[in-house]
Amino acid sequence: MSYAGPEFEPSRPPRSRRPMTVALAALLPGALLGWLVYEAVRGPGDGSGGAAAVSPSPSRPATTGSPTPGSSPDGKRPSAAPSSSASVSAGASVPAGSGSLRGKVVVIDPGHNPNNFRHASDINRKVNIGTGWKECDTTGTSTNAGYIEAKFTLDVARRMRTLLEQQGATVKFTQDGDRPYGPCVDERARIGNTARADAVVSIHADGSAAGNRGFHVILPGGVHAGAADTRAVVGPSRDLGERIAGRFLHATDTPPSNYVGRGTGLVTRRDLGGLNLSTVPKVFIECGNMRDSADAAQLTSGAWRQKAARGISEGIVSFLRG
Ligand code: ZN
């Protein structure tokens, strides 16, 4: 995601170097815990080609129930985060038991729009997000070589649609590259609400500094202001997000963000209209950092995007099955 444009991320507070403490370990929900377990299980020399044999069983950790303060990243790397292999195995198998999602509605929100670049005045128009006013939409970021986030998000979303429809889910998009720009963030939220979606996932890739790597899932914080009232969906959205983070980690064999979320892969925010205005369970996922060359190598790989789509989809399926 890029909130201010393709080149910039919102300013973040200076990194603090906090010692790893037991208290911090207690905060680790989902992703990192899953990563540590996964690393322990697969052992040395077991490349990602064997990842398909590992049952994606991210733990449902006992969380403290307190939201992750995503606005105060500490920049600490996960202690077990290895340099991830970019090797991939193509293809994704659809689990047995197909059709079990019949009647379930999933809204996928491919972040940004490939045509936003041509509609600056339209996407810069301010819309109300409950807590204030924000741009209708942004262009998103891109890799240094010019692969734009909006194409990435559409590609992953379409792969997810195939996987979820194979299991009987009804899948709706907020945009499918079929409109001149946007939609605006408030409309993106409304589409999920109107569809009475059982789960909504907004797909993004980040535009942070080189060296910042890994994915993170963004959860809605508790917001009750103006048209925004997330209080009923904070809990289920966290459940959805934890499951997605865990499955994404296993499917892609890549560690959680080393620059936000304290290594958990989870960040809570209250400044995103797409989350603030949602009345159904919804999360964002930043699949990687397009401005880091190692992450970019993954994000530009179709085989890796298939893994990403599979991981996110498996998290949704897990959530829908309860
Ligand atoms: Zn984005």
Side-chain angles (χ1 to χ4, degrees):
M1 172 184 335
S2 179
Y3 308 102
E7 300 292 339
F8 301 99
E9 275 296 284
S11 61
R12 291 177 165 131
R15 296 177 179 184
S16 60
R17 304 292 296 177
R18 299 178 201 166
M20 180 67 77
T21 64
V22 174
L24 176 59
L27 285 173
L28 298 182
L32 178 57
L33 198 56
W35 173 255
L36 293 170
V37 169
Y38 178 53
E39 283 296 286
V41 167
R42 75 172 186 168
D46 182 7
S48 62
V54 177
S55 173
S57 55
S59 54
R60 295 293 321 290
T63 61
T64 61
S66 59
T68 302
S71 58
S72 56
D74 64 7
K76 182 173 282 299
R77 286 174 178 271
S79 58
S83 60
S84 173
S85 166
S87 67
V88 293
S89 58
S93 60
V94 177
S98 296
S100 62
L101 298 186
R102 192 164 296 114
K104 298 293 187 182
V105 177
V106 177
V107 169
I108 303 175
D109 176 38
H112 315 283
N113 181 315
N115 300 313
N116 276 355
F117 288 97
R118 288 188 276 274
H119 295 271
S121 62
D122 292 312
I123 67 169
N124 287 332
R125 175 173 68 85
K126 295 292 199 315
V127 297
N128 194 289
I129 65 165
T131 52
W133 295 82
K134 206 157 180 182
E135 291 77 13
C136 154
D137 204 7
T138 56
T139 58
T141 188
S142 69
T143 66
N144 292 334
Y147 178 59
I148 67 172
E149 181 188 355
K151 287 190 174 178
F152 169 83
T153 66
L154 270 174
D155 181 86
V156 172
R158 288 166 177 162
R159 293 172 189 270
M160 287 174 58
R161 176 168 56 194
T162 299
L163 295 171
L164 291 166
E165 285 181 344
Q166 283 172 346
Q167 300 200 52
T170 298
V171 178
K172 299 182 178 180
F173 276 22
T174 57
Q175 58 95 8
D176 198 2
D178 53 355
R179 47 187 297 165
Y181 67 91
C184 298
V185 293
D186 57 340
E187 185 181 348
R188 290 177 189 263
R190 246 186 337 265
I191 290 169
N193 298 344
T194 302
R196 299 181 184 276
D198 296 287
V200 185
V201 178
S202 188
I203 310 298
H204 291 263
D206 212 351
S208 189
N212 289 341
R213 294 200 57 195
F215 75 90
H216 64 278
V217 175
I218 303 174
L219 313 173
V223 173
H224 185 210
D229 186 356
T230 61
R231 293 174 296 176
V233 297
V234 164
S237 297
R238 169 167 282 271
D239 185 10
L240 173 65
E242 288 179 350
R243 290 172 189 254
I244 289 174
R247 301 295 171 120
F248 186 90
L249 183 154
H250 280 262
T252 61
D253 196 25
T254 54
S257 169
N258 66 7
Y259 60 100
V260 288
R262 299 173 179 168
T264 64
L266 299 171
V267 170
T268 299
R269 291 178 58 164
R270 296 174 175 79
D271 63 326
L272 299 176
L275 293 181
N276 286 1
L277 299 174
S278 184
T279 58
V280 292
K282 180 174 181 178
V283 299
F284 281 39
I285 182 167
E286 300 278 5
C287 295
N289 175 19
M290 300 197 97
R291 294 296 184 178
D292 177 84
S293 59
D295 270 13
Q298 296 181 322
L299 297 165
T300 54
S301 159
W304 190 90
R305 292 196 297 274
Q306 183 66 28
K307 288 186 170 187
R310 179 163 57 85
I312 300 167
S313 298
E314 287 178 356
I316 295 170
V317 170
S318 169
F319 174 76
L320 294 179
R321 287 180 177 162

